[in-house]
Amino acid sequence: MQQQEHEAAENSPVDALEGTNCTFCDDGELVRGDYKGNTAVICDSCETPGAQFW
């Protein structure tokens, strides 16, 4: 069971989006973080969440 959880975490949407360019500004890159208590990827420049997960 633990291996399945680890594999799922490696293929999570957060992992897929982390490091991509922000679509809201020209300078930012999406980094892992929290947004309103949810796991998210957030722009390191404008701080806009690219996606959040419940």
Side-chain angles (χ1 to χ4, degrees):
M1 180 80 163
Q2 201 171 34
Q3 183 177 359
Q4 288 176 336
E5 290 174 7
H6 180 69
E7 288 174 3
E10 288 178 352
N11 297 319
S12 75
V14 172
D15 288 338
L17 292 170
E18 190 172 21
T20 61
N21 293 333
C22 178
T23 58
F24 298 99
C25 72
D26 293 330
D27 299 325
E29 183 177 292
L30 298 179
V31 296
R32 184 181 304 261
D34 290 321
Y35 182 76
K36 295 188 177 183
N38 298 319
T39 300
V41 284
I42 303 166
C43 177
D44 62 358
S45 181
C46 70
E47 299 181 2
T48 303
Q52 63 177 313
F53 305 93
W54 289 259

